[in-house]
Amino acid sequence: MSSRSPAGATARPVTMRIAAGLALPLTAALPGVWLRVSGTSVPPAAAAAGYAAAVIGAAFLLTWGTELAEIDLGEGLALALLALIAVLPEYAVDVVFAWLAGQDPATYAPLALANMTGANRLLIGVGWSVVALVAITAARRARRSGQPVPGARQPEVGGTTEAHGSGSEAGMGPDGEDGEARSAVRLQRTQVVELAYLAVATAYALTLPLRSSLTIIDTVILFAIFGAYLWRVRALEPQRDPERQREPEQDPGPATDDSDDEADEADELFGPAAAVAQLPTRVRRIITVGMLAAAALIILAVAEPFAESLVATGEQLHVSQFLLVQWVAPLASETPEFIAVLLLALKLQSSAALGALISSKINQWTLLVGILPLVFALSAGSLTGLPIDPVQREELLLTAAQSVFAVALVVTGTLTRAGAWSLLGLFTAQFVAAWTAPADWAGTVRLTIAGVYLALGAALLAARRHHLTRVMRTGLWPARARVGHSSAPPDGSTGAGGHR
């Protein structure tokens, strides 16, 4: 017995951490699931709160489950499935509204588009900006306390700099000064792919405000963009690991390499996922599947009543149903992802944090937008397309314009403190205006803020057109001739000075 006690003593705390961690989201989900199963009648606001808590709980389970699954599954079909599963909370409510729109377009089509535009703008306006500001602050505190900042670049022979690190800052340039680098989040060189495909998705999104409907043609094009993005990321996987890139012909040895990869993945986990990652492979996979299955069942159970309760809450409290759907539902579904990336930023892994949000933005602009006309067509039994009224065209323009500005800010491979504050400031302005501006001024406010986004984005892209050209050329398709030991940052330049 004594020989087994050390292992038992080690396993017991891990098991308790897992049980305690999983109990929180499951407990949060219980009231919403109970309301759904029992059919108990409660005030709409109370029902919305219960269902929102269930969505948040399920989203935490999905976040942990997908992070664990990426330890074992990272390429091809697995990558596509993980992408679809990870965004299930965001899509569930939108799919419900799109389906209802097929039966009652005048009432529900605007709500389907509202949820989509809200999720997109929240991700950039709050997600990108807050993560960048937190990462910059965390790195500054680490330097002041004498802690090493992961990924900070050191000058190399010949004055070039290493850009493969996953740290939060650009580090020192060839001239020995860091300047903007200490006030910026720097992406990895290989994340040029995300930048390129976000630019493509954003360019297509700019055409949406010109339409009177979203059709199956949009679905096909947007799904094709996402499929191309997955193919490109899969082709890039060997370059994600610098050690493998340096020794492409060498077999690293299955046991050692797998354990190292799993250890690296575990460093980026939080909550019970970090404890589950320490378990034997078979047990870890069983728990991972259980998390994903439980989350999916919870979301499928509460998505429809959650959507209905938001509409009923607006009617009861005389609050805009459109605004409730646009902001409450996305906030509930995206909270776990925001927490996960904030923790990465605090751990000085900000390029991974910002990269995850950029990837999520690609998912939203392609899968989320593309699925709406598909569900609408299935519900309506026709190919007429999801109607877009004048207000929704303004909302789509505002959302696409924000994305243009965001792409312009990060096309150089960095997001500076000033850029993060500008994203947060403009988002706050349009968010406050949406709730406070008189109805007859709402359209003018939307168009004005969209114009500001577009003007700033166009000016930045014009000034950074060479960066944009390099991003598109190197990010959209593999170029084997350029794969090697290049130290170029995501925009393809050769040093910190290239971002100025």
Side-chain angles (χ1 to χ4, degrees):
M1 293 181 61
S2 60
S3 63
R4 291 200 302 263
S5 59
T10 302
R12 195 175 299 114
V14 172
T15 303
M16 292 178 63
R17 283 171 56 197
I18 295 172
L22 295 180
L24 291 175
L26 290 174
T27 301
L30 279 178
V33 174
W34 178 78
L35 285 175
R36 172 63 164 169
V37 173
S38 66
T40 302
S41 178
V42 298
Y51 293 132
V55 170
I56 292 173
F60 270 109
L61 292 175
L62 277 177
T63 298
W64 295 328
T66 51
E67 287 177 344
L68 288 166
E70 288 174 1
I71 296 176
D72 302 304
L73 307 173
E75 299 181 8
L77 179 61
L79 183 61
L81 293 175
L82 289 175
L84 291 172
I85 293 171
V87 295
L88 182 58
E90 299 174 23
Y91 293 10
V93 174
D94 232 349
V95 165
V96 169
F97 281 126
W99 183 267
L100 294 174
Q103 313 301 320
D104 185 359
T107 301
Y108 291 103
L111 298 182
L113 293 169
N115 189 70
M116 181 272 290
T117 55
N120 270 278
R121 298 212 294 270
L122 189 67
L123 182 65
I124 286 181
V126 176
W128 286 28
S129 60
V130 173
V131 162
L133 294 172
V134 168
I136 292 167
T137 302
R140 183 178 59 199
R141 289 178 178 174
R143 284 193 303 269
R144 286 179 177 175
S145 62
Q147 300 176 27
V149 177
R153 301 183 304 157
Q154 301 297 326
E156 293 181 349
V157 176
T160 58
T161 52
E162 180 64 44
H164 294 294
S166 60
S168 57
E169 302 194 357
M172 301 289 288
D175 56 1
E177 299 178 358
D178 54 358
E180 295 178 7
R182 290 182 180 269
S183 300
V185 171
R186 183 182 181 86
L187 294 171
Q188 296 179 13
R189 185 180 67 89
T190 51
Q191 288 172 317
V192 65
V193 173
E194 281 79 2
L195 296 182
Y197 279 92
L198 177 57
V200 171
T202 297
Y204 190 79
L206 283 171
T207 69
L208 301 182
L210 306 176
R211 319 286 188 77
S212 59
S213 64
L214 294 177
T215 69
I216 293 297
I217 295 176
D218 296 306
T219 299
V220 172
I221 294 173
L222 291 169
F223 281 15
I225 293 173
F226 184 75
Y229 165 62
L230 287 183
W231 166 79
R232 183 67 177 95
V233 169
R234 182 181 181 184
L236 195 67
E237 280 300 319
Q239 301 175 47
R240 299 282 188 182
D241 186 343
E243 293 302 321
R244 290 183 183 180
Q245 183 179 345
R246 294 188 189 102
E247 299 179 298
E249 302 297 332
Q250 182 177 346
D251 183 358
T256 302
D257 189 62
D258 288 348
S259 62
D260 290 343
D261 288 345
E262 292 180 11
D264 291 340
E265 292 283 353
D267 289 341
E268 298 184 0
L269 303 179
F270 78 104
V276 173
Q278 302 175 29
L279 298 175
T281 300
R282 181 183 179 88
V283 177
R284 183 187 71 227
R285 290 174 178 173
I286 292 174
I287 295 177
T288 298
V289 172
M291 284 185 183
L292 297 175
L297 289 174
I298 291 170
I299 291 170
L300 292 175
V302 305
E304 183 175 359
F306 182 36
E308 294 171 348
S309 67
L310 288 175
V311 175
T313 298
E315 294 176 351
Q316 183 187 51
L317 301 180
H318 304 289
V319 176
S320 169
Q321 300 172 0
F322 179 87
L323 292 177
L324 287 176
V325 170
Q326 188 172 41
W327 301 116
V328 175
L331 183 62
S333 63
E334 293 187 1
T335 293
E337 182 180 16
F338 285 172
I339 293 175
V341 294
L342 281 175
L343 290 175
L344 283 177
L346 287 170
K347 292 191 293 184
L348 306 179
Q349 300 181 43
S350 60
S351 66
L354 183 58
L357 293 181
I358 293 175
S359 181
S360 293
K361 180 65 178 176
I362 298 171
N363 292 348
Q364 288 184 344
W365 260 146
T366 54
L367 295 182
L368 181 57
V369 178
I371 202 172
L372 297 182
L374 176 61
V375 173
F376 178 84
L378 293 174
S379 175
S382 72
L383 299 178
T384 54
L386 180 71
I388 306 176
D389 63 29
V391 172
Q392 299 315 310
R393 284 197 285 273
E394 294 172 358
E395 290 285 342
L396 285 169
L397 175 62
L398 177 57
T399 307
Q402 183 202 46
S403 190
V404 170
F405 181 49
V407 169
L409 288 174
V410 298
V411 74
T412 60
T414 59
L415 179 57
T416 65
R417 179 187 284 115
W421 276 118
S422 63
L423 285 175
L424 185 60
L426 286 170
F427 172 82
T428 302
Q430 60 91 22
F431 179 80
V432 172
W435 289 91
T436 60
D440 54 347
W441 280 90
T444 302
V445 170
R446 281 190 292 265
L447 293 176
T448 299
I449 298 177
V452 172
Y453 275 130
L454 288 174
L456 292 174
L460 282 174
L461 288 175
R464 300 171 173 180
R465 57 190 179 277
H466 299 301
H467 295 282
L468 179 61
T469 300
R470 283 191 291 264
V471 163
M472 303 306 291
R473 185 178 66 245
T474 60
L476 290 181
W477 51 79
R480 290 182 175 83
R482 290 193 294 267
V483 174
H485 305 289
S486 172
S487 59
D491 68 337
S493 59
T494 58
H499 296 288
R500 297 183 184 272

